[in-house]
Amino acid sequence: DALRDLARGNGLRLVGPNCIGVVNTAVGLDATFVPFAPPPGRIAMQSQSGALGIALLERCARIGLGVSTFVSVGNKADVSGNDLLQYWEDDPGTDVVLLYLESFGNPRKFARIARRVSRRKPIVAVKSGRSAAGERAASSHTAAMASPDAAVDALFHQTGVIRVDTLDELFDMALVLSAQPLPTGPRVAIVGNSGGPMILATDACVGAGLEVPELSTTTQERLRGAADPNASVANPVDLVAGATPDAYAAALATVLADDEVDAVLVVHTPTVAARAEDVAAVTAEAAATTDTPVLGCFLAAPQLPALLPVPAPAGAEVDQEAGVPVFGSPEPAARALGRAAGYAAWRGTPPGSMPELDRCDVEAARHVLTDFLAEEPEGGWLPPAAVTEVLAAVGVRVLQDRAVDGADAAVAAATELGFPVALKAAGAEIVHKSDIGGVALDLADAAAVADAYRAMADRIGPTMTGGLVQQMAAPGVETIVGVVQDRLFGPLVLFGMGGTATELLGDRSFRILPVTDADAAELVGSLRSSPLLFGYRGAPPTDTEDLAMTLQRIGRLAGGVPELAELDVNPLVVSPGGAVAVDARLLVRPVAPGPPASARRL
């Protein structure tokens, strides 16, 4: 701390401590104690681990991956990853950013910077620590499903950061992003000389979110005119084992001329008719003629470099960064190409905005929580009527209900609301009502309500301190919307399939704040079961626009009310008439004071 303060007081910045140093190839600087010198290039790298930093530099030197800047940040007493991102954002010598992360100092600031940088330059990250020794206490559905890694996934997804799982995948992405253009879509043509590897490649591409469509009639006719009579030209294009380098060249020229092909993957197994080196040469020559990305998968050819140099057109300078990435098997090639296509699609999507929301009074909602804390300083679960008031304040539609304390009161409330009604158990210790028989639905008359209340009270016992009589919701799709506070990332907004099986199904997505209109619309379609919302198998489509608006309202509530520790709206029933909250629980906690000014780091 003293060293940092001394440096900052004299106009200097401090990298580390506990780091292996920095490299800047543009000025010939290698201020590390690493015995591997990476070649100059346009890839910036940051590592929080010194040992892995050494491994990164060794790999760069071995495969010839060019580096603009390498920084080992160590304990980040001063210079942080966020500082480096802002530097690389405007660095004309950097095109791609690679990150090895173990922690986030300020993830909310990272989100703002990365969202901006990713629109111009791809960021690829390995984030370690997917598992956690400690588990969050599952006091609500949302908290139970908010794994420690959910916030990181949400952060990277919303900011366009390409997350990979291993260092091998980090370098795969570095090669693809630095040496090839981004694909304009998911459609891949696979060209090779052996059916087995190409079947594996096809499966891997589909598994990576890509498409391997049948090629157009015109393209197939041109391929038949130049290929072996036994060749298969639909896609994958199997040139058969006797294919020569010239046959590869003709096939590549044909598929690259097809506007319905967004990327090409060459899958080659060496034969007497075609050595790997010769097919690699024609692949690189084909890549030099197009803006369509070309990747090579060369089996049993360890002698090939990681990047095939692409020859420059006559009279032009050689692009030192251009090349065809070489993979030893189809799966890593497909994964890298799929991630590149996903990133390109993200970059082509409008970033979204935070529109004005009518009937969204966040301050009024917060007053309900602060009033509760005035009476319960330690916090706790908000009474049902107060939860309804909070949701209504931000414009979330809720079913009318009445709190009751006995069978007679339940009958009176049901008569006022109109039959049929639902009856739900109430009590400070009751979390999942359905698990203990605390929910009765479609009660059609006064006798049914009275009988249900008495039976419920007998079954649950003194834990049930009262009940809630509620209007029945119109038939629709049961979803869950929730909020949970993450210690570092702040509020996380959950959307998933709701009802009693929500945790069993595990069909959910998280987003960090802010939840833009684009984020909300994407959330609606992000689930495996989202087709249910859009009119599955003849069912009427639900009002997904109202659902997206509800997600934005919950996001505003989460961002404006720090006392909101957990929120479960389950189910939020979505029908053609809109989204309506049927049941909700809200946990209130006092806001912890921040550190004194004297303790805050620069």
Side-chain angles (χ1 to χ4, degrees), residues 397 477 479 481 495 497 517-527 529-536 540-552 572-580:
R397 193 155 63 93
V477 180
T479 67
V481 177
F495 173 65
M497 280 296 128
D517 54 359
D519 291 329
E522 185 191 39
L523 266 177
V524 170
S526 66
L527 309 179
S529 46
S530 286
L532 294 172
L533 297 165
F534 295 93
Y536 183 68
T542 66
D543 189 345
T544 52
E545 289 187 8
D546 188 56
L547 172 58
M549 190 69 70
T550 300
L551 290 168
Q552 292 180 71
L572 178 81
V573 176
V574 191
S575 69
V580 59

Side-chain angles (χ1 to χ4, degrees), residues 310-588:
V310 172
E317 292 185 5
V318 175
D319 184 350
Q320 299 296 334
E321 304 301 321
V324 176
V326 172
F327 297 86
S329 59
E331 292 80 9
R335 281 195 296 268
L337 187 56
R339 286 174 171 138
Y343 167 69
W346 178 88
R347 205 156 86 165
T349 302
S353 61
M354 298 288 287
E356 290 292 330
L357 302 178
D358 63 326
R359 300 176 291 106
C360 188
D361 191 342
V362 175
E363 201 55 41
R366 187 177 187 187
H367 279 310
V368 177
L369 273 67
T370 54
D371 289 347
F372 175 78
L373 285 171
E375 298 181 4
E376 301 286 344
E378 297 301 316
W381 292 100
L382 204 61
V387 177
T388 298
E389 186 179 353
V390 169
L391 294 176
V394 294
V396 175
R397 193 155 63 93
V398 294
L399 291 176
Q400 291 189 51
D401 55 36
R402 299 289 185 272
V404 297
D405 57 4
D408 292 340
V411 170
T415 303
E416 177 189 351
L417 293 173
F419 295 100
V421 296
L423 174 66
K424 302 175 182 179
E429 299 179 19
I430 299 175
V431 178
H432 304 314
K433 304 177 186 67
S434 57
D435 291 351
I436 58 173
V439 178
L441 303 176
D442 287 312
L443 303 175
D445 53 37
V449 171
D451 290 345
Y453 191 98
R454 295 188 185 100
M456 196 176 289
D458 290 342
R459 184 166 53 249
I460 298 174
T463 303
M464 178 175 164
T465 58
L468 197 72
V469 176
Q470 189 177 59
Q471 295 174 318
M472 286 296 299
V477 180
E478 290 190 348
T479 67
I480 179 174
V481 177
V483 175
V484 66
Q485 293 281 351
D486 185 273
R487 182 176 59 86
L488 276 178
F489 290 78
L492 301 179
V493 174
L494 161 78
F495 173 65
M497 280 296 128
T500 57
T502 182
E503 291 173 25
L504 177 65
L505 296 174
D507 193 8
R508 73 270 182 163
S509 291
F510 285 89
R511 294 294 183 270
I512 61 171
L513 299 186
V515 177
T516 67
D517 54 359
D519 291 329
E522 185 191 39
L523 266 177
V524 170
S526 66
L527 309 179
R528 297 188 301 275
S529 46
S530 286
L532 294 172
L533 297 165
F534 295 93
Y536 183 68
R537 299 192 71 170
T542 66
D543 189 345
T544 52
E545 289 187 8
D546 188 56
L547 172 58
M549 190 69 70
T550 300
L551 290 168
Q552 292 180 71
R553 294 180 187 279
I554 294 296
R556 302 289 173 89
L557 175 67
V561 184
E563 295 84 1
L564 192 164
E566 294 177 25
L567 171 67
D568 267 350
V569 182
N570 183 29
L572 178 81
V573 176
V574 191
S575 69
V580 59
V582 174
D583 196 16
R585 286 178 59 80
L586 195 157
L587 181 63
V588 185

Side-chain angles (χ1 to χ4, degrees), residues 94-355:
T94 294
D95 292 336
V96 181
V97 176
L98 307 184
L99 306 176
Y100 171 75
L101 302 173
E102 294 175 349
S103 63
F104 291 95
N106 187 337
R108 300 183 210 190
K109 184 177 181 182
F110 176 92
R112 292 193 300 271
I113 298 169
R115 195 187 296 251
R116 188 178 68 238
V117 175
S118 291
R119 292 284 169 184
R120 296 173 51 198
K121 302 178 182 182
I123 303 172
V124 188
V126 175
K127 169 63 176 69
S128 61
R130 280 189 179 272
S131 59
E135 296 181 356
R136 187 193 308 274
S139 53
S140 68
H141 288 294
T142 305
M145 293 187 286
S147 67
D149 207 45
V152 178
D153 274 338
L155 171 68
F156 287 166
H157 179 85
Q158 287 171 263
T159 57
V161 174
I162 303 168
R163 185 173 193 177
V164 297
D165 298 321
T166 67
L167 293 182
D168 285 341
E169 292 179 347
L170 186 77
F171 280 98
D172 291 345
M173 291 309 306
L175 288 169
V176 171
L177 294 171
S178 65
Q180 285 291 303
L182 290 173
T184 55
R187 300 167 298 184
V188 182
I190 301 174
V191 178
N193 66 342
S194 178
M198 286 194 293
I199 293 172
L200 292 177
T202 301
D203 290 344
C205 285
V206 173
L210 299 165
E211 300 172 8
V212 186
E214 185 172 346
L215 296 173
S216 69
T217 302
T218 301
T219 297
Q220 291 191 47
E221 290 175 352
R222 290 174 178 169
L223 287 169
R224 284 193 191 97
D228 185 284
N230 296 311
S232 173
V233 296
N235 198 18
V237 179
D238 185 354
L239 300 175
V240 304
T244 64
D246 288 342
Y248 271 95
L252 289 173
T254 300
V255 296
L256 286 170
D258 189 336
D259 292 337
E260 297 179 5
V261 171
D262 300 313
V264 174
L265 176 60
V266 177
V267 181
H268 176 70
T269 304
T271 66
V272 173
R275 298 187 313 148
E277 293 87 347
D278 297 332
V279 174
V282 299
T283 300
E285 290 168 2
T289 67
T290 180
D291 291 330
T292 300
V294 178
L295 277 65
C297 170
F298 290 86
L299 287 80
Q303 72 276 18
L304 293 182
L307 199 64
L308 303 175
V310 172
E317 292 185 5
V318 175
D319 184 350
Q320 299 296 334
E321 304 301 321
V324 176
V326 172
F327 297 86
S329 59
E331 292 80 9
R335 281 195 296 268
L337 187 56
R339 286 174 171 138
Y343 167 69
W346 178 88
R347 205 156 86 165
T349 302
S353 61
M354 298 288 287

Side-chain angles (χ1 to χ4, degrees), residues 56-68:
L56 293 174
L57 291 175
E58 185 277 332
R59 178 80 68 92
C60 289
R62 173 159 47 91
I63 68 175
L65 187 65
V67 172
S68 62

